[in-house]
């Protein structure tokens, strides 16, 4: 039986990770993607609040309806955690109501993926400006996940993040690990990581969770499907503790 996870993706940067991940999953999964409205490409709080606005996501859900998704994921980390813990919950509740199926966001996907792996101490390697990256750390803290270190690359636009090459991504993540971290979290769905999941885990010797990876895993979880390949450490997840 094929499972369909609808992806709502802001703008254009690393959306090609999703067909790649669909292929890596080995069949039985569809990941139709709708580009949601991005009035301004900026990792800045006001712009991100607009990117993740209720009207924008409702329009995206309507555009996905023809694909008959079993679940929908708002594939934008900063456009979800910037609303805060309660606001991000409200955001996905309204998205689920608009889509008529279970829904989540990348921010919650990071939390649930970390819990599935039994991880509570992490390093965060973020491409965002520092003030935005700090909000992600605060969001994780609400879930009992402690960031031992936070690195901010300071890139303002998703478009620029999407141009980073594989070697650059590998080196950036490896340089910003922490010896006591149980995993490294790499937020930003604008970053290409689908082809690097196993290499990242091998290079750091621990799980590396990236935004597009956890987004797909979360959608599959909502749809009742477990990945057995193609999602790095999350191909062998443990039960999630809510």
């Amino acid at each position: 039986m094929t499972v369909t996870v609808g992806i709502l993706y802001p703008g254009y940067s690393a959306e090609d990770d999703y067909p790649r991940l669909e292929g890596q999953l080995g069949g039985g999964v569809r990941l139709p993607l709708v580009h949601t409205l991005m009035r301004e490409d900026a990792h800045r709080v006001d712009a991100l609040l607009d990117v993740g606005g209720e009207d924008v996501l409702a329009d995206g859900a309507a555009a996905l309806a023809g694909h008959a998704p079993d679940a929908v994921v708002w594939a934008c980390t900063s456009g979800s955690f910037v609303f805060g813990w309660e606001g991000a919950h409200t955001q996905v509740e309204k998205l689920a109501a608009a889509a008529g199926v279970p829904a989540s966001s990348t921010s919650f996907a990071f939390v649930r993926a970390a819990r599935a792996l039994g991880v509570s101490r992490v390093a965060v390697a973020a491409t965002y400006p520092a003030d935005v990256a700090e909000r992600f750390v605060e969001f994780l803290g609400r879930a009992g996940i402690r960031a031992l270190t936070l690195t901010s690359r300071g890139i303002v636009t998703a478009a620029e993040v999407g141009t980073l090459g594989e070697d650059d991504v590998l080196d950036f993540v490896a340089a910003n690990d922490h010896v006591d971290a149980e995993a490294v979290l790499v937020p930003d769905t604008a970053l290409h990581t689908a082809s690097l999941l196993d290499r990242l885990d091998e290079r750091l010797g621990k799980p590396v969770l990236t935004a597009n990876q956890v987004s797909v895993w979360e959608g599959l979880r909502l749809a009742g499907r477990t990945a057995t390949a193609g999602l790095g450490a999350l191909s062998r997840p443990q039960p999630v503790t809510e």
Side-chain angles (χ1 to χ4, degrees), residues 123-130 133 137 149-154 172 175-177 185 187:
V124 175
T127 48
Y128 314 127
V137 169
T149 185
L150 166 64
T151 302
S152 169
R153 187 147 176 168
F172 171 64
N176 294 294
D177 188 11
L185 275 51

Side-chain angles (χ1 to χ4, degrees), residues 12-240:
Y12 297 80
S13 46
E15 67 275 9
D16 50 327
D17 261 9
Y18 289 89
R20 181 184 290 273
L21 287 165
E22 182 177 296
Q24 290 174 189
L25 288 167
V29 176
R30 293 179 59 247
L31 302 174
L33 182 147
V34 165
H35 294 275
T36 57
L37 178 64
M38 179 187 282
R39 295 182 179 91
E40 181 180 4
D41 181 8
H43 288 133
R44 199 180 65 242
V45 172
D46 63 324
L48 294 169
L49 290 171
D50 184 65
V51 163
E54 179 181 354
D55 58 333
V56 174
L57 298 190
D59 288 346
L64 274 174
H67 296 283
D70 299 293
V72 172
V73 177
W74 167 226
C76 184
T77 327
S78 56
S80 45
F81 69 70
V82 74
F83 287 83
W85 186 257
E86 289 80 11
H89 272 286
T90 299
Q91 182 186 61
V92 295
E93 287 168 0
K94 290 183 176 179
L95 175 56
V101 296
S104 189
S105 68
T106 308
S107 293
F108 289 118
F110 271 111
V111 168
R112 293 184 180 120
R115 288 175 176 171
L117 296 176
V119 167
S120 61
R121 301 188 312 277
V122 303
V124 175
T127 48
Y128 314 127
D131 63 325
V132 173
E134 287 163 2
R135 288 180 177 238
F136 181 56
V137 169
E138 292 171 5
F139 189 90
L140 294 174
R142 287 293 303 270
I145 300 169
R146 179 185 172 200
L148 302 180
T149 185
L150 166 64
T151 302
S152 169
R153 187 147 176 168
I155 300 177
V156 174
T157 69
E160 182 179 351
V161 172
T163 67
L164 299 178
E166 291 186 352
D167 289 342
D168 196 353
V169 174
L170 286 165
D171 290 344
F172 171 64
V173 176
N176 294 294
D177 188 11
H178 186 285
V179 65
D180 294 324
E182 299 165 306
V184 179
L185 275 51
V186 188
D188 202 344
T189 57
L191 191 68
H192 287 95
T193 60
S195 64
L196 301 175
L197 301 179
D198 290 333
R199 277 187 280 171
L200 283 165
D201 289 352
E202 290 167 5
R203 181 158 174 181
L204 277 76
K206 64 182 66 174
V208 176
L209 300 179
T210 72
N212 292 324
Q213 170 199 24
V214 300
S215 296
V216 171
W217 176 84
E218 174 76 338
L220 293 176
R221 185 189 72 83
L222 290 175
R225 179 69 62 89
T226 298
T228 57
L231 292 182
L234 292 177
S235 297
R236 297 168 298 279
Q238 300 299 313
V240 174

